[in-house]
Amino acid sequence: MTIYDIAKEAEVSGSTVSRVMNGKAGVNRETREKVQALLDKYHFFANETARGLVNQSPRMMGILIADIRNTHYSDGAYLIAQECARYGYCSLIFNTGDDDASKVEYLRILSARRVDGIAMIGSTYQCDAVRDAVSLYFPDKPVAIANGYLDMPHAYGVLADEESGIFSCVKLLQEKGKRRIVYVTGTDTPSNRNKLAGYEKGMRLLYGMEPEVWQAGGAGYQEGYGTTRRILTESKGVDAVIYAVDLLAAGGIRAVLDSGLRIPTDIALVGVDNSRYAYVTTPKLTSLDTKLSDLSLTCARVLVNAVSHEDGAKRMVVFSSIVERETT
Amino acid sequence: MTIYDIAKEAEVSGSTVSRVMNGKAGVNRETREKVQALLDKYHFFANETARGLVNQSPRMMGILIADIRNTHYSDGAYLIAQECARYGYCSLIFNTGDDDASKVEYLRILSARRVDGIAMIGSTYQCDAVRDAVSLYFPDKPVAIANGYLDMPHAYGVLADEESGIFSCVKLLQEKGKRRIVYVTGTDTPSNRNKLAGYEKGMRLLYGMEPEVWQAGGAGYQEGYGTTRRILTESKGVDAVIYAVDLLAAGGIRAVLDSGLRIPTDIALVGVDNSRYAYVTTPKLTSLDTKLSDLSLTCARVLVNAVSHEDGAKRMVVFSSIVERETT
DNA sequence: TTGTAGGCGTTATCAG
DNA sequence: CTGATAACGCCTACAA
């Protein structure tokens, strides 16, 4: 069914139906009611594909995310999609993984769909491959990144102050009387490099010690468990561990427990993200809340504004805070 | 840029460019190469909105999900989106929540976009409101439900055998020597009613006892914690608890621990879904794996098949299995 | 207030 | 093998 079927039955032209559907003025009261009655009768709604074509805008945003199964990211995707929906935009969500080739490929697909704007969630999108693909496929459409930044005229970045956030974690542990803090890294992303920098700075400035960094070789529970067991046996005098993400820390908690040590007396643990894992573990995990929710929401607003040509700050930061629970 | 810009520069017609882009036969080798060179030069890809219009198919699926932040669902959404992507379909993912009005509204939006098919994740979509909306907005497009079923000619359901799954949980606990099992429900969905039925059947058939059901009034950690504390103080002789979902059980674990009881000696706990929460808790949670991954994957395949008019079974079930960990 | 005509960017049909 | 031409369904000048 099309507007013309409605038009025929209402004995008016297609333009009139279109006008009624879009609530435009200049339609006779009776005509409008007659048309509206038919619209209601058939539950007819205009074909958005056709509207997208003529309006040169599909009213659709693209959301790029490494993996929606990761709660940390799905929270962001949820908020951005909800916020965009409030303004009448649908969201095309793509799981790109971390490899450059597929990030670029999905940007291409989004450009073929001529989406109105793009949101990318995670610092993994702050890289040259994405930068190049954006300037190639989206030379002038707005692009917003949650926890990342690209220096382009139409790109907006909302960042977490991870470096100073982790620095405060080191400080907290120092105040708790901890003497030797070790750091466990996750995957290699700009975000994780910032966290690492915060830790290193903390060790040098606060402790005057050389940092001790362990590569987990992943960001899951198992990696956290395995790495922590290694730390416990191979490294002497460790009484605190900071993990790049909560799930690593969750594995760490179990490793410490299995070693018969007490938390936080013998060893204190800190995670990052303040995710749902943080309160499910026993003991509950102290975690740095990097405020991804605020980040995502801001990101969505910036994006929607940019799409409607209202300018805003190109780069902003959201401050993180430590949520203390039972592991410190 | 459009195909005509390419056509002009290549000194051919738009049709020829279209033919080259779609890899159709019947184009002179040299012409094809000339056009392809330009396509590459400008990184040009056809406007999918226009293609969608003329092809009467946007090559897009709609995915309805209550809340993508729930890992249980996001796993499903991920798998379905990936599988559809393999066949060239984008996915429009909507978080509908549990209320009927917004489920209907999102179905309307999807119908306005004329999506090729719909996947719904969760038994919450097995209800009259959705049934009516589907027959109204999608009288002939394929609809697949992961863990639900609607009796319509173009609807496909992939179900979990939750009832017998929970029944086996009761059996397992009986074999472990437990004498009094209590059940904690979650929200009111067809799926949760099936689980409850399995528990009730188990108690009557296996124990010859009346079931004892506690309403958690939610499906989160806090509700699990609170309800379990109440059970522990108000109900006598309970030595096993089955929870409708893992997160409730996670709260339950902590409640039992806080009461100074031992798991599983004094009290055994079982969750459902075998989610990531199940192995993050201490002790790790025994959980009924309802195979949502298999369910979703099957769902996606069924959907893609149906879209390409290849018929398949209308209703199938995936069998669940218990993953034993440390709480039984 | 209403209708006609043209165009949005493709694809498909049909001549040549 | 190639090019007009007419859809696809809608919106918007412009004209009446």
Side-chain angles (χ1 to χ4, degrees):
Chain A
M1 177 171 308
T2 74
I3 51 171
Y4 293 108
D5 298 312
I6 301 288
K8 187 180 289 176
E9 192 165 337
E11 298 175 304
V12 297
S13 76
S15 350
T16 300
V17 176
S18 171
R19 280 190 274 258
V20 172
M21 297 191 72
N22 293 292
K24 304 245 168 175
V27 178
N28 180 40
R29 162 85 155 278
E30 293 178 19
T31 316
R32 161 165 277 134
E33 285 170 356
K34 185 169 55 177
V35 171
Q36 189 59 57
L38 256 15
L39 256 20
D40 294 345
K41 172 177 169 193
Y42 293 113
H43 302 277
F44 177 75
F45 292 90
N47 183 325
E48 287 294 336
T49 305
R51 301 191 70 208
L53 183 59
V54 52
N55 292 332
Q56 300 278 60
S57 150
R59 297 215 48 97
M60 214 155 56
M61 299 290 192
I63 301 183
L64 257 37
I65 187 175
D67 190 331
I68 208 174
R69 292 171 300 182
N70 185 323
T71 56
H72 188 49
Y73 297 137
S74 64
D75 279 10
Y78 176 85
L79 290 167
I80 293 180
Q82 290 300 94
E83 191 65 13
C84 291
R86 282 163 44 90
Y87 293 91
Y89 292 93
C90 287
S91 295
L92 226 33
I93 303 176
F94 286 122
N95 297 279
T96 68
D98 271 323
D99 69 301
D100 286 349
S102 74
K103 290 180 208 161
V104 170
E105 172 61 4
Y106 282 115
L107 280 168
R108 188 191 68 69
I109 294 176
L110 288 175
S111 91
R113 300 244 168 214
R114 307 292 192 264
V115 293
D116 297 297
I118 297 195
M120 306 196 245
I121 305 174
S123 73
T124 183
Y125 296 101
Q126 176 182 316
C127 67
D128 291 344
V130 168
R131 220 203 96 90
D132 295 346
V134 166
S135 59
L136 181 62
Y137 296 128
F138 293 94
D140 40 25
K141 294 259 174 76
V143 170
I145 308 187
N147 207 16
Y149 180 70
L150 292 176
D151 189 17
M152 324 178 75
H154 54 294
Y156 300 83
V158 187
L159 298 142
D161 65 331
E162 290 151 329
E163 186 173 327
S164 57
I166 295 288
F167 186 86
S168 338
C169 293
V170 174
K171 199 178 211 163
L172 173 77
L173 291 168
Q174 188 176 44
E175 286 162 8
K176 298 267 177 184
K178 296 300 176 184
R179 329 217 93 251
R180 186 117 182 287
I181 310 173
V182 155
Y183 185 84
V184 177
T185 63
T187 48
D188 184 41
T189 61
S191 162
N192 279 336
R193 285 194 284 275
N194 289 340
K195 296 176 198 165
L196 181 56
Y199 161 72
E200 292 176 336
K201 201 168 137 195
M203 291 310 285
R204 299 217 167 92
L205 264 52
L206 267 23
Y207 280 85
M209 280 171 66
E210 272 309 290
E212 178 176 336
V213 178
W214 289 70
Q215 306 285 344
Y221 182 91
Q222 279 309 328
E223 285 88 351
Y225 185 85
T227 308
T228 307
R229 299 236 36 157
R230 289 211 327 271
I231 291 172
L232 263 24
T233 56
E234 299 172 21
S235 189
K236 300 298 164 201
V238 172
D239 57 5
V241 186
I242 298 177
Y243 298 82
V245 294
D246 283 345
L247 201 47
L248 281 173
I253 289 177
R254 184 57 184 256
V256 172
L257 258 25
D258 284 356
S259 302
L261 296 168
R262 290 159 306 166
I263 299 174
T265 337
D266 299 327
I267 298 218
L269 306 175
V270 176
V272 177
D273 285 348
N274 193 33
S275 65
R276 289 196 254 312
Y277 298 119
Y279 58 80
V280 170
T281 56
T282 303
K284 294 180 181 173
L285 181 66
T286 291
S287 183
L288 179 70
D289 186 353
T290 50
K291 302 285 168 59
L292 190 74
S293 306
D294 293 354
L295 229 67
S296 305
L297 212 52
T298 308
C299 197
R301 300 223 168 104
V302 163
L303 186 60
V304 171
N305 278 344
V307 165
S308 32
H309 306 292
E310 291 165 31
D311 242 33
K314 303 256 2 250
R315 194 162 186 279
M316 46 195 96
V317 2
V318 173
F319 294 97
S320 48
S321 63
I322 301 175
V323 178
E324 273 208 75
R325 295 202 180 81
E326 304 164 344
T327 57
T328 51
Chain B
M1 176 170 306
T2 74
I3 52 170
Y4 291 109
D5 298 312
I6 301 289
K8 187 181 289 175
E9 192 164 338
E11 299 176 302
V12 298
S13 74
S15 330
T16 299
V17 176
S18 172
R19 279 191 273 259
V20 172
M21 296 192 72
N22 292 291
K24 305 241 169 177
V27 178
N28 180 40
R29 161 86 155 278
E30 291 178 21
T31 317
R32 161 164 277 133
E33 284 170 357
K34 186 170 52 179
V35 171
Q36 189 59 56
L38 255 16
L39 257 20
D40 293 345
K41 173 179 170 192
Y42 294 112
H43 301 277
F44 177 77
F45 292 90
N47 182 325
E48 286 295 335
T49 305
R51 300 191 70 207
L53 183 59
V54 49
N55 291 332
Q56 300 278 60
S57 149
R59 296 214 53 96
M60 213 154 59
M61 299 291 192
I63 300 183
L64 257 38
I65 187 174
D67 191 332
I68 208 174
R69 292 171 299 182
N70 186 323
T71 56
H72 189 51
Y73 297 138
S74 63
D75 280 9
Y78 176 86
L79 290 167
I80 293 179
Q82 290 299 93
E83 191 65 13
C84 290
R86 282 164 43 89
Y87 292 91
Y89 292 92
C90 287
S91 295
L92 226 33
I93 303 175
F94 287 123
N95 297 279
T96 68
D98 271 322
D99 69 303
D100 286 348
S102 75
K103 290 181 208 160
V104 171
E105 172 62 4
Y106 281 115
L107 280 168
R108 188 191 69 68
I109 294 176
L110 287 175
S111 91
R113 299 246 167 212
R114 307 291 191 269
V115 293
D116 297 297
I118 297 196
M120 307 197 243
I121 306 174
S123 73
T124 184
Y125 296 101
Q126 178 183 315
C127 66
D128 292 343
V130 168
R131 219 204 97 89
D132 295 345
V134 166
S135 59
L136 180 63
Y137 296 127
F138 293 95
D140 42 24
K141 294 257 174 78
V143 170
I145 309 188
N147 206 16
Y149 180 70
L150 292 176
D151 188 17
M152 323 177 77
H154 54 294
Y156 300 82
V158 187
L159 299 140
D161 66 332
E162 290 151 328
E163 185 172 329
S164 58
I166 295 289
F167 186 86
S168 338
C169 292
V170 174
K171 200 178 211 165
L172 173 77
L173 291 168
Q174 188 176 45
E175 287 163 7
K176 298 267 177 183
K178 295 300 174 182
R179 328 216 95 250
R180 186 118 181 289
I181 309 174
V182 155
Y183 185 83
V184 178
T185 64
T187 49
D188 185 42
T189 61
S191 163
N192 280 336
R193 286 194 284 276
N194 290 340
K195 295 176 198 167
L196 181 56
Y199 161 72
E200 292 177 335
K201 201 167 138 194
M203 290 310 285
R204 300 218 167 92
L205 264 52
L206 266 24
Y207 280 85
M209 281 171 66
E210 273 309 288
E212 179 177 336
V213 178
W214 289 71
Q215 305 285 344
Y221 183 91
Q222 278 309 329
E223 286 88 351
Y225 185 86
T227 308
T228 306
R229 299 239 33 160
R230 291 213 324 274
I231 291 171
L232 262 25
T233 57
E234 299 172 21
S235 190
K236 300 297 164 204
V238 172
D239 57 5
V241 186
I242 299 177
Y243 297 82
V245 294
D246 284 345
L247 201 47
L248 281 172
I253 289 176
R254 184 57 184 257
V256 173
L257 258 26
D258 283 357
S259 303
L261 296 167
R262 288 159 308 167
I263 301 172
T265 335
D266 300 325
I267 297 216
L269 307 175
V270 176
V272 177
D273 285 347
N274 193 33
S275 64
R276 287 196 257 312
Y277 297 119
Y279 57 80
V280 170
T281 56
T282 304
K284 294 180 182 173
L285 181 66
T286 291
S287 183
L288 179 69
D289 186 353
T290 50
K291 301 285 167 60
L292 190 75
S293 305
D294 293 355
L295 231 67
S296 306
L297 212 52
T298 309
C299 198
R301 299 226 168 102
V302 164
L303 185 61
V304 171
N305 277 343
V307 166
S308 32
H309 307 291
E310 289 164 31
D311 243 33
K314 301 259 358 253
R315 195 163 185 278
M316 47 195 93
V317 4
V318 172
F319 294 97
S320 48
S321 63
I322 301 174
V323 179
E324 273 209 75
R325 295 201 179 81
E326 304 164 344
T327 58
T328 51

